Amino acid sequence: MREMADGVWRLSQRLGPKVNVYLVGDVLIDAGRRQDRGRILDQISGRSLSMLALTHAHADHQGSAHDVCETRRVPLACHADDVEAMEGRRPISGTSPIGRLVTRSWGGPPHRVDRVLKEGDDVAGFRVVHAPGHSPGEVIFFRESDRVAICGDVIRSMTYLTTRPKLLEPPDAFNDDSRQNRESIRRLARLGPSLILPGHGGAVRDMQAFNRFVAGLPDDGAGLEHEVSGPDAPATRARRDEQPSAVR
């Protein structure tokens, strides 16, 4: 594991940070694909674990959730709007052909949600920020003290085709509502993060580059903004293809 911030560890994986799982104190954030079961359980072996919390209930984030919770006897938490998916009452990665393929390839079995998260809840010292669009129940875990954001798939910092570093939106094919997700990206920017830990790709440390990326998003989200507490971090207009150096 690699420590990304005080008390925040990213679990190791072959060939770099492609499908990220984080350990924050004694709380595991996300559970990768079902094929990640072994690496997750191996790396958290011998460590205290009190809960598994999901950024969202897509197949590449909930895949090993059932096995981790059963093996370690810990409760599962996710946002209210993804409970039906996690518990098997709604498709976990949508009903499109690619969504069904992802579910068959990576998805894990349903599991009961023990703690239903809502806006403003505390998880291991991080505030729950609802950030729908990629998934109805997508959340950002944000720590005010050092402004670290674990953002799930609100953004990604790698291309899926080549895996090279680049700030990108999640592909439309994987989103519940791409327009709404852009508003969640803007909400992430308004939190004023100092470090962004995404679900796919390396840590984002260059906030000027991130703000340029946000400023370059299509201006199609009028009326979808959430109420946000705390200071805003307005972005400045720039081209969206100037971002690769932001990722480390």
Side-chain angles (χ1 to χ4, degrees):
M1 282 191 277
R2 178 181 176 186
E3 190 170 26
M4 309 304 296
D6 184 28
V8 180
W9 298 82
R10 186 178 68 202
L11 274 62
S12 301
Q13 57 193 298
R14 295 177 61 188
L15 304 178
K18 305 298 186 293
V19 180
N20 294 326
V21 177
Y22 299 96
L23 183 64
V24 181
D26 63 355
V27 174
L28 193 69
I29 304 293
D30 284 338
R33 306 155 296 188
R34 67 172 181 268
Q35 294 88 345
D36 293 307
R37 175 187 186 277
R39 76 171 174 98
I40 293 172
L41 290 174
D42 285 349
Q43 291 180 65
I44 64 175
S45 177
R47 291 177 176 263
S48 176
L49 194 69
S50 67
M51 183 170 63
L52 167 60
L54 302 181
T55 59
H56 62 297
H58 279 184
D60 52 341
H61 294 256
Q62 65 79 251
S64 295
H66 175 77
D67 285 348
V68 169
C69 290
E70 289 294 306
T71 301
R72 294 300 303 267
R73 299 184 181 277
V74 295
L76 176 65
C78 77
H79 188 272
D81 291 345
D82 270 7
V83 169
E84 288 188 350
M86 189 61 238
E87 294 187 341
R89 302 192 301 276
R90 188 183 82 217
I92 59 175
S93 293
T95 58
S96 68
I98 193 167
R100 292 195 298 269
L101 176 62
V102 166
T103 298
R104 288 196 303 271
S105 300
W106 294 342
H111 190 87
R112 181 170 62 90
V113 175
D114 303 285
R115 179 180 173 188
V116 178
L117 300 177
K118 64 182 185 303
E119 177 78 22
D121 281 354
D122 181 89
V123 173
F126 281 69
R127 174 163 58 93
V128 172
V129 179
H130 190 205
H134 180 63
S135 174
E138 178 90 43
V139 300
I140 299 163
F141 295 107
F142 183 70
R143 188 163 66 185
E144 301 281 356
S145 60
D146 54 4
R147 315 205 72 75
V148 173
I150 301 172
C151 76
D153 287 0
V154 174
I155 63 166
R156 55 188 166 122
S157 62
M158 56 172 272
T159 65
Y160 289 152
L161 185 61
T162 67
T163 72
R164 72 184 181 90
K166 188 174 184 180
L167 290 176
L168 294 164
E169 302 175 54
D172 289 344
F174 296 117
N175 290 339
D176 182 66
D177 185 331
S178 294
R179 181 170 173 249
Q180 188 178 44
N181 190 72
R182 291 187 192 108
E183 289 308 308
S184 289
I185 295 173
R186 295 182 178 104
R187 183 172 196 193
L188 172 60
R190 288 194 297 269
L191 292 171
S194 64
L195 173 67
I196 301 172
L197 301 175
H200 304 284
V204 180
R205 302 181 186 277
D206 185 341
M207 291 302 109
Q208 290 185 342
F210 170 67
N211 284 337
R212 290 196 298 269
F213 161 73
V214 176
L217 294 172
D219 188 16
D220 59 0
L224 286 178
E225 294 187 2
H226 296 269
E227 292 295 324
V228 181
S229 61
D232 286 350
T236 54
R237 177 68 58 180
R239 291 172 46 134
R240 294 174 63 199
D241 58 359
E242 298 174 350
Q243 315 311 325
S245 64
V247 183
R248 295 289 183 270

